[in-house]
Amino acid sequence: MTLAQYTEDSPAGKILTYLRRHGEATIKDLEELLGISTTAVREHLTHLEAKGLLATRQARGGPGRPRLVYSLTPRAEDLFPKEYDTLVTLVLREIASREGKERLDALLEAVGRRLAEEYRGQVVGDDVEERLARLRVMLEARGIPVDVTPEGALQVFACPYHDVAQEHAGVCTMERRMLEQVLGERVELEGTIREGRRSCHFQIARSSD
């Protein structure tokens, strides 16, 4: 398992995994877990706190000063593996099995329209080049590397629905139609990661004069 930049066997990774399993921990708990000094444990905790991954509270457990107890913040949950793709694939497979491919395609079309609504208000510009540039910024903010070519093509180098798209080609169609609605232009899909390409290549269809 990999916790984003923290491998499971690194000190930070061990701390995060321990807190995920046990909910809370004191510095003494983490000293025993890692087999390192209090100072070294504090250094790792300071780093994780600076990343917004840890929360603290004070707890009394007898005489003396209260102890600090550490736990994960909601932000830390994003570091742990999710099975969204598996779940979505199973749901789509069940829909196709029970209601048929046409019903599945209609569902994906509706999802594409919903995605377009979320993007459309923010992807604005007087011309398609400006809208493409704005769309690129939005996609890269989601961690999706994108290039826009001078010829009006959008190259997407990471499929956000990769595992789902392997089984359901309709996902690629959904994405193309969503881009058409967002950009206000006809878009052609000229190659996909699903087909073994390095990127999904969406081309603005220029009208011939």
Side-chain angles (χ1 to χ4, degrees), residues 5-6 12 15-16 19 41-56 70-73 75-76 79:
Q5 69 268 41
Y6 307 110
I15 291 171
L16 293 166
L19 291 174
V41 169
R42 289 186 187 278
E43 288 178 358
H44 290 298
L45 292 173
T46 298
H47 167 78
L48 293 171
E49 281 188 284
K51 296 287 187 181
L53 303 176
L54 298 184
T56 59
Y70 293 84
S71 60
L72 297 179
T73 64
R75 182 176 180 180
L79 298 176

Side-chain angles (χ1 to χ4, degrees), residues 123-192:
V123 179
V124 294
D126 295 332
D127 53 46
V128 67
E129 287 77 14
E130 191 175 348
R131 295 194 294 274
L132 277 169
R134 181 59 184 157
L135 180 60
R136 174 185 179 178
V137 170
M138 293 185 63
L139 290 173
E140 292 196 334
R142 292 174 53 200
I144 303 171
V146 174
D147 273 348
V148 175
T149 72
E151 296 76 29
L154 187 74
Q155 289 182 282
V156 182
F157 294 96
C159 177
Y161 321 108
H162 182 271
D163 290 348
V164 180
Q166 298 307 303
E167 187 166 332
H168 300 284
V171 171
C172 302
T173 302
M174 175 197 77
E175 189 81 344
R176 180 185 64 78
R177 290 177 177 168
M178 183 272 287
L179 291 175
E180 287 184 332
Q181 295 174 60
V182 170
L183 296 170
E185 301 283 343
R186 190 162 63 87
V187 175
E188 297 174 351
L189 181 55
E190 298 187 347
T192 67

